[in-house]
Amino acid sequence: MTDPALDLRHMARALELAERGLLSTDPNPRVGCVLADGARVLAEGWHERAGGPHAEAMALAALGGSARGATAYVTLEPCCHHGRTPPCADALVAAGVRRVVYALRDPDPRVDGGGAARLAASGIAVAGGLMAPEARALNAGFLSRFERRRPWVRVVLPAPFGSGGVDAGLQRLRARCSAVLTGSGTVLADDPRLDVGLEDAPRQPLRVVLDSRLRLSPRARIVAPPGSLLVMTASEDAGRRGALERAGARVLAVPAAPGGLDLAAVMRRLAELEVNELQVEAGATLTAALLASGLADERIG
């Protein structure tokens, strides 16, 4: 017999654990796992960073013994492929869990139902969809990259956080995203860095400049570390491209469109580069173009 109230409680805790990876797992999803025997929590785990153990492996390691007869609550379908870590579905089978409850099916084509199928084929009871809306909100960018072939796009409207100490709110949003995007006009006018200045930030997001005519100077502050710069352009000026590349930037060609670059093509290319969440901090022209194109999923300000 299963207890729906217990299932909800354990999955809610797994989601709390997943949120600990909000700033650090990119480009991987944020995932949490609870191993439980009825009301008793046996062990917990969460995915800390890309390349590190997945949430299920962390929980099994924390348990330090057999999980035979336990239920695993996971916020994303356990993986079934060999990447930088072994398949979590196999680890759960080997540990002897009786039941697996997950929130979301993993849209990665290397998984996409395969993890659940592998568990079920091994005699494990599998149930999906518990607290799916909450899990989707936590991984909107990861899901968007696979389901729509573009990042989740957050557009920051001019001066959304006012002045003074509230600027930390904008810094926090930058820290959780895969990339921060702006236009060359903003760089030429303001010379921003667009990096994350928080002491607890585990990484710097990719900085992206849309520069259709390659007007960006190699001496602009956005070119310098920390973090990496990607310049997307329609220009074929080899001299300007070479100067930016020698300064440390990566320059990528994308199709032109009236007034600049093809924004849909920009988003597709960023998804191919494993950008999950994209934060746009640009001037009025680029901001308006994104809003008009229907590519903006969220507005701040």
Side-chain angles (χ1 to χ4, degrees):
M1 295 291 292
T2 61
D3 185 333
L6 272 181
D7 285 351
L8 281 170
R9 190 175 87 190
H10 290 317
M11 185 61 78
R13 175 56 181 165
L15 285 163
E16 289 179 357
L17 294 166
E19 195 168 1
R20 294 183 181 181
L22 193 65
L23 308 184
S24 61
T25 65
D26 193 81
N28 287 0
R30 297 133 184 171
V31 183
C33 176
V34 171
L35 297 173
D37 182 4
R40 184 165 63 100
V41 173
L42 303 176
E44 299 178 336
W46 55 284
H47 183 44
E48 295 182 4
R49 61 185 59 84
H54 289 187
E56 301 93 318
M58 292 288 284
L60 290 170
L63 182 60
S66 171
R68 191 159 304 281
T71 296
Y73 297 87
V74 194
T75 58
L76 188 70
E77 176 189 3
C79 65
C80 56
H81 66 285
H82 283 271
R84 285 183 279 187
T85 60
C88 292
D90 290 356
L92 292 169
V93 170
V97 300
R98 174 182 62 86
R99 181 170 172 251
V100 173
V101 180
Y102 65 91
L104 285 178
R105 183 167 173 152
D106 189 339
D108 186 328
R110 297 172 297 179
V111 186
D112 198 16
R118 185 172 298 184
L119 294 167
S122 299
I124 295 173
V126 182
L130 184 63
M131 300 189 74
E134 293 85 351
R136 286 195 70 88
L138 190 60
N139 282 303
F142 176 80
L143 297 169
S144 178
R145 175 159 64 89
F146 286 103
E147 294 173 352
R148 303 188 298 174
R149 299 295 185 265
R150 70 169 179 84
W152 178 270
V153 179
R154 180 187 305 116
V155 175
V156 179
L157 301 180
F161 292 93
S163 58
V166 289
D167 185 56
L170 180 57
Q171 287 282 326
R172 201 74 184 170
L173 285 174
R174 281 183 190 170
R176 67 171 284 172
C177 69
S178 309
V180 182
L181 180 145
T182 194
S184 58
T186 296
V187 177
L188 292 172
D190 301 331
D191 198 22
R193 291 189 56 83
L194 295 185
D195 59 347
V196 176
L198 301 175
E199 290 185 2
D200 63 340
R203 61 177 180 82
Q204 290 289 335
L206 175 69
R207 291 169 291 181
V208 182
V209 176
L210 303 189
D211 187 4
S212 60
R213 292 178 287 161
L214 280 185
R215 299 185 296 163
L216 185 64
S217 167
R219 294 179 295 279
R221 296 202 307 154
I222 202 168
V223 179
S228 301
L229 174 68
L230 171 66
V231 180
M232 306 184 84
T233 186
S235 172
E236 298 180 358
D237 189 320
R240 289 181 178 272
R241 179 186 184 119
L244 285 168
E245 290 176 336
R246 287 191 294 274
R250 179 181 179 185
V251 182
L252 190 64
V254 293
L261 299 177
D262 182 331
L263 295 177
V266 165
M267 297 304 164
R268 287 194 299 271
R269 193 67 182 95
L270 290 175
E272 292 169 0
L273 296 174
E274 298 189 317
V275 172
N276 292 337
E277 288 185 27
L278 177 69
Q279 182 152 309
V280 179
E281 300 181 35
T285 301
L286 179 52
T287 297
L290 280 166
L291 294 174
S293 69
L295 293 170
D297 299 297
E298 182 182 353
R299 304 184 194 188
I300 302 295

